[in-house]
Amino acid sequence: MNLRTLRIFVEVVRQGGFSQAAATVSLTQSAISKAVRTLEEELGLPLLNRLGHRIELTPAGDIAYRRAQTMLAERQDLLVELDELKGLQRGVLRVGIPPVGSGVVFAVMFAAYRSRYPDIEIALLEHGGQKLNECLHAGEIDVAAILAPVHADFDCQDVRVEPLVALMSASHPLAGSARVDFTQLASTPFILFEGGFALNRIILDACARKGVQPKITARSAQIDFIVDLVAAGLGVAFFPRMLAEKYTHAGIWRAPLDEPHTDWHMTLAWRRQAYLPPAARAWLELAAQMRQQ
């Protein structure tokens, strides 16, 4: 068993198939298939069920996938520590951020970081919360900006807490309301972000607590497009307040969401007990200082 084969196997699972993994690791599909077969033969158990163009993990595959992620993350920690031991002068800040709200929250912070540490390279990864959690587990990034609550394997520090605001067309019957809740919005279609965005979980969990079954009419990863859909009367969307306040044109009405436990609670998370490079520690220190200002 070698780490290259394990990485190929992990990418097949994460990408959802052999052809997708081939593009990610720059190998042919046949080479990817051969590597997975070799690993299965070495372990003596099938790791994947091949279901046409889809794959799913077997029980043995689930164990192998979790262990492989840990081994690959440990390898990355080893390389980082050895680089520093060899006198690496230029660090790399590997940080993941979500598309929702990052410009408002982190743009100034990145500018301050660049001013303090001009020789540190900033390697940014932008994904929804689910993908950022996976990347952090796998050691592909050192710090991720994700919504609370965080996984038990992570430590975290708070960055910002914002209430959610409902955005609706100015012609919506509830336009003009000072506050709205999910019971009032039950008959209005919801416009959510694409799957994998943690904000969706907050909204849908709160609906479930109220016994509301929302009709989801559209999903998108593009904030401006969601706002355009709202203005066109397609449905209602939900943004953290500081992001909602950027949209003040006449076609939109903003109403604070009158629902408990729906705050947008952004944290910076990192793997518990994992090696945290100096560049990442400096990022966390800056974030803590700026939160106190």
Short mmCIF file of all heavy atoms in Angstrom, two decimals, residues 10-17 20-21 24 131:
data_model
loop_
_atom_site.label_atom_id
_atom_site.label_comp_id
_atom_site.label_asym_id
_atom_site.label_seq_id
_atom_site.Cartn_x
_atom_site.Cartn_y
_atom_site.Cartn_z
N VAL A 10 -9.10 8.00 -2.55
CA VAL A 10 -9.83 9.09 -1.89
C VAL A 10 -10.46 10.01 -2.94
O VAL A 10 -11.61 10.44 -2.79
CB VAL A 10 -8.90 9.88 -0.95
CG1 VAL A 10 -9.53 11.21 -0.54
CG2 VAL A 10 -8.58 9.05 0.28
N GLU A 11 -9.74 10.31 -4.01
CA GLU A 11 -10.28 11.21 -5.03
C GLU A 11 -11.45 10.56 -5.78
O GLU A 11 -12.42 11.24 -6.13
CB GLU A 11 -9.19 11.60 -6.02
CG GLU A 11 -8.23 12.65 -5.48
CD GLU A 11 -8.92 13.93 -5.08
OE1 GLU A 11 -9.89 14.33 -5.78
OE2 GLU A 11 -8.53 14.54 -4.07
N VAL A 12 -11.40 9.26 -6.01
CA VAL A 12 -12.52 8.56 -6.65
C VAL A 12 -13.77 8.72 -5.81
O VAL A 12 -14.86 9.01 -6.32
CB VAL A 12 -12.19 7.07 -6.86
CG1 VAL A 12 -13.45 6.29 -7.29
CG2 VAL A 12 -11.12 6.91 -7.93
N VAL A 13 -13.64 8.55 -4.49
CA VAL A 13 -14.79 8.68 -3.60
C VAL A 13 -15.27 10.12 -3.55
O VAL A 13 -16.47 10.40 -3.67
CB VAL A 13 -14.43 8.19 -2.17
CG1 VAL A 13 -15.60 8.40 -1.23
CG2 VAL A 13 -14.04 6.72 -2.21
N ARG A 14 -14.34 11.05 -3.39
CA ARG A 14 -14.74 12.45 -3.25
C ARG A 14 -15.33 13.02 -4.52
O ARG A 14 -16.25 13.84 -4.48
CB ARG A 14 -13.54 13.29 -2.81
CG ARG A 14 -13.08 13.00 -1.39
CD ARG A 14 -11.95 13.90 -0.96
NE ARG A 14 -12.34 15.29 -1.08
CZ ARG A 14 -11.47 16.31 -1.05
NH1 ARG A 14 -10.19 16.06 -0.91
NH2 ARG A 14 -11.90 17.54 -1.15
N GLN A 15 -14.81 12.60 -5.68
CA GLN A 15 -15.31 13.12 -6.95
C GLN A 15 -16.53 12.36 -7.46
O GLN A 15 -17.19 12.79 -8.39
CB GLN A 15 -14.21 13.09 -8.02
CG GLN A 15 -12.96 13.88 -7.66
CD GLN A 15 -13.26 15.35 -7.42
OE1 GLN A 15 -14.13 15.92 -8.05
NE2 GLN A 15 -12.52 15.97 -6.49
N GLY A 16 -16.81 11.21 -6.84
CA GLY A 16 -18.01 10.47 -7.21
C GLY A 16 -17.87 9.58 -8.42
O GLY A 16 -18.88 9.12 -8.98
N GLY A 17 -16.65 9.29 -8.86
CA GLY A 17 -16.49 8.40 -10.00
C GLY A 17 -15.06 8.39 -10.50
O GLY A 17 -14.22 9.22 -10.11
N GLN A 20 -14.16 11.41 -13.16
CA GLN A 20 -13.98 12.69 -12.47
C GLN A 20 -12.65 12.72 -11.71
O GLN A 20 -11.94 13.72 -11.71
CB GLN A 20 -15.12 12.94 -11.49
CG GLN A 20 -16.50 12.99 -12.15
CD GLN A 20 -17.20 11.65 -12.12
OE1 GLN A 20 -16.60 10.61 -12.43
NE2 GLN A 20 -18.48 11.66 -11.74
N ALA A 21 -12.30 11.59 -11.07
CA ALA A 21 -11.04 11.51 -10.34
C ALA A 21 -9.85 11.60 -11.29
O ALA A 21 -8.82 12.19 -10.97
CB ALA A 21 -10.98 10.23 -9.52
N THR A 24 -8.97 15.06 -11.95
CA THR A 24 -8.42 15.75 -10.78
C THR A 24 -6.94 15.44 -10.58
O THR A 24 -6.16 16.33 -10.24
CB THR A 24 -9.20 15.34 -9.51
OG1 THR A 24 -10.57 15.69 -9.69
CG2 THR A 24 -8.66 16.05 -8.28
N LYS A 131 -18.10 20.93 1.65
CA LYS A 131 -16.83 20.68 0.98
C LYS A 131 -15.65 21.19 1.81
O LYS A 131 -14.59 20.54 1.89
CB LYS A 131 -16.84 21.35 -0.39
CG LYS A 131 -15.59 21.12 -1.22
CD LYS A 131 -15.52 19.72 -1.76
CE LYS A 131 -14.39 19.58 -2.77
NZ LYS A 131 -14.30 18.22 -3.33
#
